[in-house]
C-alpha cells in the first residue's frame, strides 16, 4: 500500500502540473525545495544535533551558483553542483571541529558560522553587498531558457526526487542506523567501544546534509533569479527546525509532512512577513502539547485514543463476576 501511494503521488507530481495555474506551480516548487532542506537537516537531527545555521550553507550554495553564472558565465547546471560542493567543503572543515561539541554549544557554533557567512555577503561588493545579486539566469534546456513556472518545476522535481531517494536510502542503510547510535554522549561512547569511527560517521552525515542544502540553495537562487543575505537569515534556519519538529522525528516522512503543511500555510501568510514565523511557532507549540511525536505520530495517537475509549466504555467488573 505504501508503494502504491508513493507511485500515485509521483504520477500526480509529474502529470498534473501542466493543468495547474502558475501560482499553484510556485507553491509546489517552494514545497519541494523546503522538503529537501528539511530532510537534509533531518540527517543530523536524528543523531541528536540541533542546527540553527543551515541557512548559511544554503546561502553558500545559492551565492556560489549565482556568482558563477553572472560573473564567469558558467553553465547553470554546473553551478548547481558547484553550490552543493562548496557547501559540502565548508561543512567538512567546520564539522571536524563543531561536531565534537554537543547540545547548545553545537547549535551556537553553527549559528555563529551562518551569521558570519551572512555578514560577509552583506559587507563585500563582490557578493552584491546588502542589495544582493539580481538577474540570476535560469538554466537552458536544449537551447530554451526555462523561464516559465512549468519548465522550472520539472528541474526542481528532478533534483528533489534524486535528493530524497539518496537521503531515504542513506537513512535505511547500516550507515543511517549507526547515526541513531550517536544521539547522546553515552551511546556515542558505547559505539566507539565496539570499534565504530563515530567522528567519521558524524562528519560524513554533516557533509551530506549540507551538500543537499547547498544544491537546493543554488536551485532556489536561480528560481528566484535573485540572491540576498536578507533571504537566508536566522529565521530561515529556525523554520527548517520547526518543519522537522512539527512533522516528527520518528520517521523519514515526518519532515516531509511538516514541510508540506507549513510551507503551504506560509505561502498564504507571505504578506505577514516576520509574523509568519510567529504562526509557525504557535503551530509548533500546539503540536508539542497535543501530539508530541509530530504529525507522523497521528495515526498511532488515534489508535491509542480509540483503545482508551473502548476500555473506558466497558462496564466495570462486578464482585460476582470476579
Amino acid at each position: 500500500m505504501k508503494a502504491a501511494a508513493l507511485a500515485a503521488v509521483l504520477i500526480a507530481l509529474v502529470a498534473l502540473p501542466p493543468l495547474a495555474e502558475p501560482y499553484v506551480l510556485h507553491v509546489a516548487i517552494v514545497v519541494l525545495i523546503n522538503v529537501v532542506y528539511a530532510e537534509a537537516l533531518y540527517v543530523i537531527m536524528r543523531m541528536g544535533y540541533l542546527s540553527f545555521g543551515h541557512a548559511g550553507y544554503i546561502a553558500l550554495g545559492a551565492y556560489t551558483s549565482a556568482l558563477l553564472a553572472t560573473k564567469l558565465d558558467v553553465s547553470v547546471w554546473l553551478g548547481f553542483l558547484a553550490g552543493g560542493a562548496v557547501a559540502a567543503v565548508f561543512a567538512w572543515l567546520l564539522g571536524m571541529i563543531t561536531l565534537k561539541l554537543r547540545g547548545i554549544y553545537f547549535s551556537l557554533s553553527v549559528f555563529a558560522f551562518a551569521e558570519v557567512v551572512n555578514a560577509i555577503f552583506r559587507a563585500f561588493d563582490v557578493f552584491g553587498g546588502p542589495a544582493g545579486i539580481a538577474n540570476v539566469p535560469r538554466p537552458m534546456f536544449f537551447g530554451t531558457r526555462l523561464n516559465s513556472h512549468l519548465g522550472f518545476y520539472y528541474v526542481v522535481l528532478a533534483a528533489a526526487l534524486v535528493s530524497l531517494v539518496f537521503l531515504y536510502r542513506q537513512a535505511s542503510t547500516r550507515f543511517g542506523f549507526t547515526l541513531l547510535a550517536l544521539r547522546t554522549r553515552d551511546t556515542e561512547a558505547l559505539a566507539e567501544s565496539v570499534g565504530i569511527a563515530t567522528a567519521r560517521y558524524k562528519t560524513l552525515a554533516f557533509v551530506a546534509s549540507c551538500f543537499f542544502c547547498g544544491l537546493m540553495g543554488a536551485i532556489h537562487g536561480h528560481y528566484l533569479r535573485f540572491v540576498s543575505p536578507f533571504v537566508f537569515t536566522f529565521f530561515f534556519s529556525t523554520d527548517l527546525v520547526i518543519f522537522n519538529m512539527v512533522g516528527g522525528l520518528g520517521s523519514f516522512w515526518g519532515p516531509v509532512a511538516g514541510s508540506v503543511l507549513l510551507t503551504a500555510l506560509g505561502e498564504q501568510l507571505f504578506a505577514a512577513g516576520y509574523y509568519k514565523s510567529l504562526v509557525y511557532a504557535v503551530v509548533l507549540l500546539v503540536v508539542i502539547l497535543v501530539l508530541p511525536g509530530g504529525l507522523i505520530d497521528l495515526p498511532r495517537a488515534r489508535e491509542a485514543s480509540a483503545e482508551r475509549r473502548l476500555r473506558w466504555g466497558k462496564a466495570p467488573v462486578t464482585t460476582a463476576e470476579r
Side-chain angles (χ1 to χ4, degrees):
M1 291 181 63
K2 183 184 293 186
L6 289 174
V9 170
L10 181 59
I11 292 172
L13 289 173
V14 173
L16 293 183
L19 306 176
E21 298 179 356
Y23 176 73
V24 176
L25 288 176
H26 163 73
V27 174
I29 288 171
V30 177
V31 166
L32 288 171
I33 291 173
N34 283 344
V35 165
V36 176
Y37 288 155
E39 286 294 351
L41 179 59
Y42 175 69
V43 172
I44 65 169
M45 289 189 70
R46 72 196 299 263
M47 64 176 183
Y49 286 87
L50 182 62
S51 171
F52 288 108
H54 262 49
Y57 297 98
I58 296 171
L60 282 172
Y63 268 91
T64 297
S65 188
L67 288 170
L68 288 175
T70 56
K71 304 293 186 182
L72 301 178
D73 199 27
V74 174
S75 168
V76 174
W77 302 107
L78 293 177
F80 292 164
L81 296 176
V86 169
V89 169
F90 275 89
W92 177 66
L93 295 173
L94 187 68
M96 290 191 298
I97 301 172
T98 59
L99 289 172
K100 297 178 182 178
L101 306 174
R102 281 282 183 178
I104 189 63
Y105 301 105
F106 171 81
S107 300
L108 288 175
S109 66
V110 291
F111 163 73
F113 171 76
E115 290 301 300
V116 168
V117 169
N118 196 286
I120 291 173
F121 288 152
R122 288 199 309 267
F124 294 97
D125 291 337
V126 67
F127 301 118
I133 303 173
N135 299 319
V136 178
R138 296 275 181 87
M140 299 279 291
F141 188 71
F142 287 107
T144 302
R145 185 76 64 181
L146 300 179
N147 287 325
S148 67
H149 282 81
L150 181 61
F152 204 84
Y153 168 83
Y154 285 109
V155 173
V156 176
L157 178 61
L161 289 177
V162 171
S163 302
L164 293 176
V165 168
F166 179 91
L167 292 172
Y168 178 78
R169 291 298 302 159
Q170 177 267 333
S172 58
T173 60
R174 180 184 177 185
F175 179 88
F177 288 119
T178 301
L179 297 181
L180 294 176
L182 310 178
R183 295 181 66 88
T184 66
R185 287 189 182 276
D186 293 337
T187 57
E188 183 179 345
L190 181 61
E192 288 181 343
S193 70
V194 296
I196 295 176
T198 57
R200 181 166 61 89
Y201 273 87
K202 291 191 296 183
T203 302
L204 288 175
F206 193 55
V207 168
S209 172
C210 294
F211 171 82
F212 287 106
C213 280
L215 172 67
M216 293 307 293
I219 295 173
H220 197 172
H222 286 273
Y223 172 63
L224 297 176
R225 303 193 65 182
F226 171 73
V227 294
S228 166
F230 297 104
V231 174
F232 309 105
T233 63
F234 169 72
F235 293 101
F236 199 105
S237 295
T238 56
D239 287 350
L240 302 184
V241 174
I242 292 174
F243 292 165
N244 277 270
M245 298 300 294
V246 169
L249 298 176
S251 168
F252 177 86
W253 305 107
V256 175
S259 301
V260 171
L261 172 67
L262 292 180
T263 302
L265 176 63
E267 287 300 311
Q268 306 306 313
L269 300 171
F270 183 78
Y274 289 115
Y275 291 104
K276 181 179 73 173
S277 295
L278 177 61
V279 175
Y280 283 179
V282 171
V283 172
L284 175 61
L285 180 62
V286 171
V287 169
I288 289 175
L289 294 176
V290 178
L291 200 65
L295 297 176
I296 201 67
D297 205 36
L298 183 59
R300 190 184 312 167
R302 292 181 63 182
E303 290 178 3
S305 178
E307 290 177 0
R308 286 195 298 269
R309 287 198 301 269
L310 287 173
R311 187 165 56 249
W312 293 342
K314 292 181 179 179
V317 180
T318 63
T319 304
E321 290 173 333
R322 290 196 186 95

